[in-house]
Amino acid sequence: MKDVLYLAWRYLAHHRVKTTVLVASITLILFVPAALRTIVSRSEEQLTARAEATPLVVGTKGSPLELVLSSLYFGQDVPERMPFGEAGRVRESGLAQAIPLYVRFRAGDDPIVGTNLDYFAFRGLRIASGRMITRLGDCVLGARVAKERDLGPGDALMSSPETVFDLAGVYPLKMRVTGVLAPSGTPDDEAVFVDVKTAWVIEGLAHGHADLTDPDAAAGVLKREDGRVVGNASVVQFNEITDENVDSFHFHGDVADFPITAVLAVPFDRKSSALLRGRYEAPDEARQILQPAAVLDDLLGDILTVEKFVVVAFLLVGLATLATAALVFLLSMRLRRREIETLVKIGGSKPRVTAILLTEVAAVLVASAVLAALLTWLVSGMATERIRTWVG
């Protein structure tokens, strides 16, 4: 048997170009459908797991998919905003816990998620180092953000303006990093979490500045009347919230009217879920309440339909490629007729010679299968990270 393997190996090594082309072609035909199935499977697992762990999402009527992707995966597309009072509406119904979300701003490429402490308990997130948010201007980092930026408790992180020339809208804020979350293997690893009020500070709905009643701040006073002090344009707003100036930050307007992008509603039981959903069924209702799992099931259904067409196309191409490979082997055997006759004349039996030829074919198929399996394994390992990037 060793002589059969040796002769087959020597032939394939001598005709390395033909062997390489055959192995590469068959590898691709085996790899592409397997890789596609792996990516779709991983996508389905990740999307479904987080969606099923989130009972209900409330948001302004619009694209259900956009609202779910923003609320669960912190995508860059920002859904239409709604007033913070909607969180109170859910809470006051007595049917569910209400967790507000304001996902609009970013720190570089990382989303800034404005929420409250209930979010961390709901998602099962815990602090790995440092401590939780304690005041305005604090933030905690997802594990991946902290690792990539090399940040930890005591460091600072700046929010990003929405546009380069945004001089009057989003106000860049220097946030104090108080803690780093333990890795969770979810999009929470790639987010910066702040209190929703801190997100409003970034938007410019609250600000802090020097006390204009202080004699040292006289240069910033425009006028004084009826006990009110009006500042002039020289008053500089703070872009960092510290223990010394935190008391100077104040909001203008009714907090209930301030914006959020969604409310995560966590019903207390199945009956509460049904009753709460029923309250958003009115035709003139401006908000929508969604079950993320149902929304993503529709998305996955579309993905699987496309996948089937792609797989069928590759199978047809694969059959053509395998037929071409078989033709190459058959033509090769015809061209090697004199070589085969020589092997027989020097004592090689026909079964032995046939074994050599079949071993060559088997070696090409086995090498292709091994390479395809290795590539599929590599894709499987990278799929989890890539899927989060694609969703965001």
Side-chain angles (χ1 to χ4, degrees), residues 290-346:
L290 304 172
Q291 293 178 295
V295 174
L296 291 180
D297 280 345
D298 293 338
L299 172 64
L300 292 172
D302 294 337
I303 292 174
L304 291 175
T305 300
V306 174
E307 180 207 9
K308 290 176 183 177
F309 284 112
V310 173
V311 169
V312 169
F314 269 104
L315 287 177
L316 293 175
V317 174
L319 290 175
T321 303
L322 292 176
T324 303
L327 181 61
V328 169
F329 280 115
L330 291 174
L331 291 175
S332 176
M333 291 177 187
R334 290 179 66 87
L335 293 173
R336 295 170 64 189
R337 181 176 296 175
R338 294 185 60 185
E339 175 190 337
I340 294 171
E341 291 174 352
T342 301
L343 288 174
V344 173
K345 288 178 180 180
I346 64 176

Side-chain angles (χ1 to χ4, degrees), residues 58-61 82-100 256 260 263-265 268 275-289:
V58 179
T60 298
K61 281 187 175 179
M82 63 182 181
F84 179 66
E86 290 296 327
R89 175 184 174 186
V90 173
R91 189 180 306 108
E92 290 166 7
S93 71
L95 300 172
Q97 178 187 19
I99 303 174
I260 55 175
V263 176
L264 300 183
F268 301 123
L275 290 173
L276 184 62
R277 281 184 281 130
R279 297 192 177 190
Y280 290 84
E281 294 297 324
D284 58 345
E285 175 60 56
R287 315 300 170 204
Q288 60 180 334
I289 188 165

Side-chain angles (χ1 to χ4, degrees), residues 78-292:
V78 181
E80 188 173 344
R81 287 165 286 177
M82 63 182 181
F84 179 66
E86 290 296 327
R89 175 184 174 186
V90 173
R91 189 180 306 108
E92 290 166 7
S93 71
L95 300 172
Q97 178 187 19
I99 303 174
L101 287 178
Y102 195 23
V103 187
R104 174 185 172 186
F105 308 111
R106 308 186 82 82
D109 293 328
D110 304 315
I112 297 175
V113 180
T115 185
N116 60 23
L117 297 180
D118 292 335
Y119 181 87
F120 301 97
F122 170 64
R123 291 294 187 199
L125 302 174
R126 61 180 183 82
I127 294 291
S129 61
R131 55 179 172 77
M132 192 52 77
I133 298 167
T134 56
R135 64 159 170 79
L136 207 62
D138 286 352
C139 69
V140 294
L141 308 181
R144 188 177 180 86
V145 175
K147 181 179 180 180
E148 290 183 349
R149 291 175 174 262
D150 192 24
L151 295 175
D155 294 327
L157 179 65
M158 288 290 293
S159 64
S160 302
E162 290 184 307
T163 65
V164 176
F165 303 104
D166 189 1
L167 301 178
V170 176
Y171 194 63
L173 181 68
K174 185 177 182 181
M175 299 173 289
R176 179 179 67 171
V177 179
T178 60
V180 175
L181 296 171
S184 63
T186 69
D188 296 321
D189 290 342
E190 302 175 7
V192 177
F193 292 94
V194 299
D195 184 79
V196 69
K197 292 181 180 180
T198 299
W200 293 334
V201 172
I202 297 174
E203 186 161 0
L205 299 175
H207 61 264
H209 48 70
D211 185 1
L212 297 181
T213 62
D214 192 318
D216 294 336
V221 176
L222 178 63
K223 60 181 179 179
R224 302 175 188 269
E225 57 180 22
D226 299 329
R228 294 173 58 248
V229 181
V230 181
N232 59 36
S234 68
V235 177
V236 178
Q237 297 181 15
F238 299 127
N239 73 332
E240 180 181 7
I241 303 173
T242 65
D243 292 332
E244 290 73 27
N245 68 20
V246 65
D247 292 334
S248 73
F249 277 80
H250 50 282
F251 293 87
H252 296 280
D254 187 353
V255 171
D257 295 329
F258 286 3
I260 55 175
T261 51
V263 176
L264 300 183
V266 187
F268 301 123
D269 50 43
R270 185 172 299 179
K271 180 180 178 181
S272 297
S273 176
L275 290 173
L276 184 62
R277 281 184 281 130
R279 297 192 177 190
Y280 290 84
E281 294 297 324
D284 58 345
E285 175 60 56
R287 315 300 170 204
Q288 60 180 334
I289 188 165
L290 304 172
Q291 293 178 295

